[in-house]
């Protein structure tokens, strides 16, 4: 016969009889177990030590001959909790929230400790007070200290403490830079003619200064790049560069394209203007 769900074995050394009995009763109800089979199911779900204990408690009666309600009654009597003592109340009043314990777990643990204290009608008030005072220093307790003690309930205290905890965690994320990081993508723009001119201006001035053109026979003209005349006497000094748009030099000596100079383009630049002097000295030589 197969059953719906499952139930673990009960070991009185490690388990709680009241919890096991509650789960066992629900298991029997779910599977509609007949009365004459309940005792057998209980016995088969007892550990060896628990079975031995029950057999000793029933002696001289035979454990296999007992009805389910009689077996449960014997175990109830044996595992009946002790009466409330100052030890139980000391555990309750001395309890504090653990470092990694959630607010819900802290409230549930307090209810478990209070079950041995027999608070009666004062249960809710004692649970609320211990919950607040046992939180420890922090924004959660500070928030609850501001509440009206006459109207504050345990449910409301748990809600307010949860809000303060969420606010503290959010603030810590912002302070530590653990918030959402938005990646900044680079923006690429095509440089127009005016942009090239602005970029080329300082480089053109630097190239002219570095050239140190004083009209020496071995130096090149910084305007057209040819030799044997100075920049002041060059006929191209009033022309505008076709590359960067700046007046005062030709395209072949433009700093924008100086790293990729093309000889054929130089010839076409020089030949495109009517200058006999530059054409006269525009002679190719092989090194």
């Amino acid at each position: 016969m197969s059953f719906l769900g499952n139930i673990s074995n009960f070991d009185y050394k490690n388990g709680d009889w009241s919890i096991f009995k509650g789960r066992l009763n629900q298991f029997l109800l779910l599977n509609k177990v007949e009365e004459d089979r309940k005792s057998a199911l209980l016995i088969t779900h007892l550990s060896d030590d628990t079975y031995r204990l029950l057999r000793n408690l029933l002696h001289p009666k035979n454990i296999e001959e007992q009805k389910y309600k009689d077996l449960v009654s014997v175990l109830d009597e044996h595992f009946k909790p002790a009466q409330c003592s100052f030890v139980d109340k000391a555990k309750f009043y001395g309890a504090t929230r653990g470092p990694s314990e959630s607010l819900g777990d802290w409230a549930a643990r307090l209810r478990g400790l209070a079950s041995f204290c027999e608070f009666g009608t004062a249960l809710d008030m004692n649970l609320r007070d211990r919950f607040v005072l046992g939180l420890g220093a922090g924004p959660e307790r500070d928030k609850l200290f501001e509440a009206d003690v006459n109207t504050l309930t345990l449910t409301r205290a748990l809600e307010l403490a949860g809000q303060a905890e969420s606010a503290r965690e959010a603030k810590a994320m912002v302070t530590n830079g653990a918030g959402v990081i938005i990646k900044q993508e680079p923006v690429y723009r095509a440089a127009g003619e005016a942009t090239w001119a602005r970029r080329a201006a300082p480089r053109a001035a630097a190239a002219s200064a570095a050239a140190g053109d004083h009209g020496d026979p071995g130096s090149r003209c910084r305007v057209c790049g040819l030799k044997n005349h100075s920049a002041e006497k060059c006929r191209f000094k009033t022309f505008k560069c076709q590359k960067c748009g700046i007046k005062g030099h030709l395209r072949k000596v433009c700093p924008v394209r100086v790293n990729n100079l093309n000889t054929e383009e130089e010839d076409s630049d020089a030949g495109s203007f009517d200058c006999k002097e530059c054409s006269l000295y525009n002679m190719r030589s092989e090194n």
Side-chain angles (χ1 to χ4, degrees), residues 68-79:
Y68 174 75
K69 64 177 182 179
D70 296 330
L71 296 177
V72 172
S73 178
V74 171
L75 291 173
D76 282 342
E77 182 65 24
H78 180 76
F79 293 114

Side-chain angles (χ1 to χ4, degrees), residues 29 32 46 48 54 62 70 78 87 96-97 107-108 116-117 167 170 177 183 199 207 214 219 227 264 267 275 278 282:
L29 179 64
K32 300 179 180 180
L46 298 178
D48 292 345
L54 180 58
N62 190 343
D70 296 330
H78 180 76
V87 175
T96 56
R97 181 190 180 190
F116 302 101
C117 297
K183 183 179 179 181
R199 294 179 180 178
H214 300 292
S219 63
K227 296 183 178 181
E264 294 181 1
D267 293 341
C275 178
C278 291
N282 186 16

Side-chain angles (χ1 to χ4, degrees), residues 13-31:
K13 294 181 178 180
N14 302 315
D16 188 314
W17 164 247
S18 62
I19 294 177
F20 175 78
K21 184 180 71 170
R23 295 184 66 242
L24 177 61
N25 288 333
Q26 295 302 313
F27 182 80
L28 297 174
L29 179 64
L30 177 64
N31 291 279

